[in-house]
DNA sequence: GAACCGTGGCA
DNA sequence: TTGCCAAGGTT
């Protein structure tokens, strides 16, 4: 029995019942693959179901506004994924009549579609022999072939894609690719792998050292950032501005501005603004005139590359004019998933509105 | 290549 | 508490 056949047999008997495994619609699979980027299966499932119910076809998604798309994506994170998916699907509608292209290069040229996503759509939806290497596949193949060079370096990546390509060749490439990922997710796990339950253990060169493979790449330490946020209330409503930065771009947020951390302002003199000046600056930036009030509280929000300390101010007596990037909302509207806001904004509002 | 982009679960 | 890291892509 070949490794390939052992993986297919194991997958047929052990795969989880996931909602996107009930369709071969390349658009639906595309959506699932984008949502699953760096995100756990259990988190994605309800988002995927809501998204497909609201936008069942490429044409439906293409006709939606970015605000609607981000509203359904709200809370899922990595919001640029949603904007790129939206653009990509619009391109499919405009250039390919709404049919996801079977040609791999055409798929790769779509915004937000890299080697992994292109291969996932190609193999799963079109049953083409295209390889994929995600975190699961990298771990499985690193162990099976006992690859000791670190992830992320060119030599390692090239080897992984070569091995994945060799496996993809043959019958049922979509099932084979999903078998590799499923094995990585449920058996060949990062810690405490269940080698005794592995269908390819007899062929695994790394089974005795599995837990120290793959060798991880070096990671940058999270950057500490201090932020002032202002909850501006008027008449039971709260003012939100549309973010334009890379972080939370396109989402609605309370006015925010980075300020100098407490220690740094002492050590490095006047590097950056004091918190209350940052809060006033945040209001001015979005065109809100208001009276800055007291600090309502503080919170810490941790991202992969940042550790944000947020000081939440209140402000009152607001004078502002709504436009495309400034609006007031009733806090109850935020519970319906209709407005694109981050978890951070929700946490800030929980402190500032009460 | 390295840095950047969110959130949540787990040991 | 802290660090790891999960079906990656872009710049």
């Amino acid at each position: 029995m070949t490794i390939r056949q052992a993986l297919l047999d194991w997958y047929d008997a052990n795969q989880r019942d996931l909602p996107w495994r009930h369709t071969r619609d390349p658009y639906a699979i595309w959506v699932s693959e984008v949502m699953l980027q760096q995100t756990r299966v259990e988190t994605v499932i309800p988002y995927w179901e809501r998204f497909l119910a609201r936008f069942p076809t490429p044409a439906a998604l293409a006709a939606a506004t970015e605000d609607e798309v981000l509203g359904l994506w709200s809370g899922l994170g990595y919001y640029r994924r949603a904007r790129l998916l939206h653009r990509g699907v619009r391109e499919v509608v405009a250039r390919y009549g709404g049919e996801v292209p079977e040609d791999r290069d055409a798929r790769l040229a779509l915004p937000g579609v890299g080697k992994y996503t292109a291969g996932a759509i190609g193999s799963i939806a079109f049953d083409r022999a295209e390889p994929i290497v995600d975190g699961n596949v990298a771990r499985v193949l690193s162990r099976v072939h006992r690859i000791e060079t670190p992830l992320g370096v060119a030599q390692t990546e090239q080897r992984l894609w070569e091995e994945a390509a060799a496996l993809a060749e043959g019958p049922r490439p979509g099932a084979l690719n999903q078998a590799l990922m499923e094995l990585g997710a449920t058996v060949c796990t990062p810690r405490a792998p269940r080698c005794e339950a592995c269908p390819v253990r007899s062929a695994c060169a790394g089974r005795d050292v599995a837990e120290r493979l793959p060798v991880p790449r070096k990671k940058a330490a999270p950057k500490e950032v201090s932020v002032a946020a202002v909850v501006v209330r008027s008449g039971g409503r709260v003012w939100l501005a549309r973010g334009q930065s890379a972080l939370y771009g396109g989402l609605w947020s309370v006015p925010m501005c980075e300020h100098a951390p407490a220690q740094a302002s002492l050590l490095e003199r006047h590097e950056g603004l004091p918190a209350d000046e940052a809060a006033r600056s945040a209001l001015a930036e979005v065109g809100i005139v208001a009276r800055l009030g007291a600090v309502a509280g503080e919170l810490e929000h941790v991202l992969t590359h940042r550790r944000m300390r947020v000081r939440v101010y209140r402000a009152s007596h607001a004078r502002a004019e709504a436009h495309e990037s400034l609006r007031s909302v009733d806090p109850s509207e935020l519970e319906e998933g209709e407005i694109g806001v981050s978890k951070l904004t929700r946490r800030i509002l929980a402190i500032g509105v009460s």
Side-chain angles (χ1 to χ4, degrees), chain A residues 267-280:
Chain A
L267 297 173
E268 302 168 25
R269 311 219 169 140
H270 298 294
E271 184 87 15
L273 297 171
D276 60 336
E277 285 185 30
R280 292 181 212 284

Side-chain angles (χ1 to χ4, degrees), chain A residues 269-326:
Chain A
R269 311 219 169 140
H270 298 294
E271 184 87 15
L273 297 171
D276 60 336
E277 285 185 30
R280 292 181 212 284
S281 170
L283 291 174
E285 263 179 44
V286 299
I288 296 176
V289 177
R291 189 164 67 81
L292 190 65
V295 174
E298 286 198 348
L299 64 86
E300 185 172 80
H301 198 66
V302 181
L303 293 68
T304 303
H305 291 279
R306 287 170 200 265
R307 185 182 212 88
M308 302 174 68
R309 289 217 60 85
V310 182
R311 184 169 298 180
V312 181
Y313 287 84
R314 288 198 179 98
S316 57
H317 300 84
R319 285 190 292 115
E321 192 159 335
H323 53 82
E324 193 177 78
S325 297
L326 189 65

Side-chain angles (χ1 to χ4, degrees), chain A residues 169-183:
Chain A
E169 208 60 49
R172 304 179 64 202
L176 187 283
N177 282 340
Q178 293 185 85
L180 281 172
M181 292 193 288
E182 192 77 347
L183 188 67

